[in-house]
Amino acid sequence: MSAALKVVRQGLFDTLQDLGRIGFMALGMPTAGAMDRVALRLANALCGNPANTAGLEIGVMGPDLLIEADSVRIALVGPLSASLIEAEGASPKPIETDRSHLLKRGQILKVGMVEGSSTAYLAVAGGFALPPFMGSLATYARAGVGGLDGRKLAEGDLLPLVRPQAPPGEDRKLDQPFDYGSGPIRIVWGPQEDYFSEAGRQTFAGSDYRVSKEADRMGIRFEGPAIEHAKGADIISDGIGPGAIQVPGAGLPIVLLADRQTVGGYPKIATVASADLPRLGRLLPGQVVRFQPVTVEEAEALRRDQEARIERAIGRFQAARPPGGIDLGRLYEENLIDGVVFHTPAP
């Protein structure tokens, strides 16, 4: 019997994602990949996986997954309301996130809602036994490639596992939630900032912008003050990098994300610093942001600092107790008493 996770109730928009399909934009293939690469990397590290192992990106509401393996180690990272049904007929018991869990055959993991964010992640030790497309398991649903048949998960799907059972070792957890930072989203001007007037650039950098309902893995359309163009709203189509901020004729910015198109014909006023891209991947409609210009050198320093903080977070993983409290098996293995002294009272 092959080891797998079975979807017994589908979520809202759950896809398999790794760190992206790199090197094929010249062929018109978007990178796709995780919206929040930090959370995916931490989930993989908790499972002992390489950073680029594909995991499940949970969009707003996650699935219910039946464990069809002798055992599997999973890790949940992000603000999820997860729970576990340990046996048929049993009530769900809440389980912690930002940690790994050892699950057994027949249990049902209810991934739950993502609270206060748009994405969270589930990784499994060893990863999923699915064929890559162009070197990646990242799902690009618009083209129907990658992941599981190039689409979001549906009820009845089987996600085959690489490992028939969980690797030995203890469960681990983050010592504290990862700090994504707060305040304005940092941007670098360009590559077509000259297509906008000075007043337009000041409007963009000095105004609040609200996430509209038109927000998905392709990009986020923001609502707020219109940005004034200086040379019109059309350019000869050129390449679009992650976090590019297009401004069409209506003057409202669109930040392009993981599933962005490879080229576009609207001028790009700025590009989001790579360290802040995971923050954009967590935004929900209605949330308000500001944009703050920084230099290329400052953006590079922000990314180096983020990478160092990720490594420190991984280095500070702690042993995690099983659901319900004390692990008696591990407790009995410890040498808690190294001697006994008897005292006999004087007659």
Side-chain angles (χ1 to χ4, degrees), residues 6-66:
K6 181 177 182 179
V7 180
V8 294
R9 186 192 61 81
Q10 70 186 61
L12 189 62
F13 196 90
D14 308 312
T15 58
L16 288 172
Q17 300 292 344
D18 53 26
L19 296 181
R21 189 167 285 106
I22 307 302
F24 298 98
M25 286 186 65
L27 301 178
M29 177 56 65
T31 58
M35 292 277 278
D36 179 355
R37 66 173 185 276
V38 173
L40 177 61
R41 287 173 60 182
L42 291 173
N44 274 321
L46 286 166
C47 284
N49 293 338
N52 195 35
T53 304
L56 191 58
E57 182 175 273
I58 313 301
V60 182
M61 181 181 71
D64 293 354
L65 301 171
L66 172 66

Side-chain angles (χ1 to χ4, degrees), residues 10-346:
Q10 70 186 61
L12 189 62
F13 196 90
D14 308 312
T15 58
L16 288 172
Q17 300 292 344
D18 53 26
L19 296 181
R21 189 167 285 106
I22 307 302
F24 298 98
M25 286 186 65
L27 301 178
M29 177 56 65
T31 58
M35 292 277 278
D36 179 355
R37 66 173 185 276
V38 173
L40 177 61
R41 287 173 60 182
L42 291 173
N44 274 321
L46 286 166
C47 284
N49 293 338
N52 195 35
T53 304
L56 191 58
E57 182 175 273
I58 313 301
V60 182
M61 181 181 71
D64 293 354
L65 301 171
L66 172 66
I67 311 305
E68 294 192 347
D70 290 341
S71 62
V72 61
R73 176 163 285 112
I74 63 99
L76 297 167
V77 172
L80 288 161
S81 56
S83 60
L84 184 66
I85 298 175
E86 297 182 336
E88 186 176 353
S91 298
K93 294 182 178 180
I95 61 172
E96 296 177 329
T97 59
D98 289 346
R99 59 158 289 173
S100 66
H101 295 273
L102 181 65
L103 306 183
K104 303 293 182 63
R105 185 181 297 278
Q107 293 180 333
I108 295 177
L109 173 65
K110 297 176 70 67
V111 176
M113 298 292 294
V114 187
E115 307 286 354
S117 175
S118 60
T119 54
Y121 291 83
L122 180 151
V124 300
F128 296 99
L130 291 166
F133 177 80
M134 289 184 166
S136 170
L137 279 182
T139 304
Y140 180 51
R142 282 180 169 82
V145 300
L148 186 69
D149 301 327
R151 58 173 173 78
K152 67 179 182 179
L153 299 190
E155 186 173 325
D157 282 342
L158 283 176
L159 292 170
L161 303 175
V162 169
R163 299 186 63 101
Q165 60 185 23
E170 62 186 7
D171 285 316
R172 299 184 294 176
K173 65 178 181 179
L174 290 168
D175 70 334
Q176 58 185 13
F178 188 82
D179 181 10
Y180 286 79
S182 58
I185 300 293
R186 278 74 60 95
I187 58 160
V188 175
W189 290 118
Q192 286 103 26
E193 74 271 24
D194 59 318
Y195 270 69
F196 302 87
S197 68
E198 178 61 28
R201 293 194 293 271
Q202 290 181 3
T203 296
F204 176 61
S207 302
D208 290 341
Y209 286 92
R210 185 181 303 275
V211 178
S212 76
K213 293 181 179 179
E214 296 180 74
D216 59 18
R217 285 182 45 83
M218 186 174 183
I220 300 172
R221 188 183 296 270
F222 285 90
E223 299 169 341
I227 300 165
E228 182 180 70
H229 291 81
K231 299 182 182 179
D234 296 298
I235 61 171
I236 296 173
S237 292
D238 65 359
I240 297 178
I245 306 174
Q246 287 186 328
V247 184
L252 296 179
I254 303 170
V255 180
L256 297 168
L257 300 173
D259 285 358
R260 68 194 181 278
Q261 68 272 31
T262 58
V263 296
Y266 295 126
K268 296 171 285 295
I269 191 170
T271 304
V272 175
S274 61
D276 279 350
L277 284 174
R279 292 175 59 192
L280 288 172
R282 297 162 61 87
L283 291 177
L284 291 167
Q287 291 182 311
V288 175
V289 302
R290 279 204 170 208
F291 297 96
Q292 176 186 329
V294 297
T295 66
V296 171
E297 293 75 18
E298 289 170 330
E300 290 173 342
L302 288 169
R303 178 61 180 270
R304 286 194 294 270
D305 174 70
Q306 183 181 73
E307 291 296 314
R309 291 190 295 110
I310 292 171
E311 291 302 317
R312 286 197 297 271
I314 293 171
R316 293 198 299 261
F317 283 168
Q318 299 177 351
R321 290 179 176 178
I326 297 173
D327 185 341
L328 293 177
R330 290 192 62 205
L331 181 66
Y332 295 152
E333 292 173 359
E334 299 294 332
N335 183 17
L336 300 179
I337 302 175
D338 61 4
V340 178
V341 176
F342 294 96
H343 175 70
T344 302

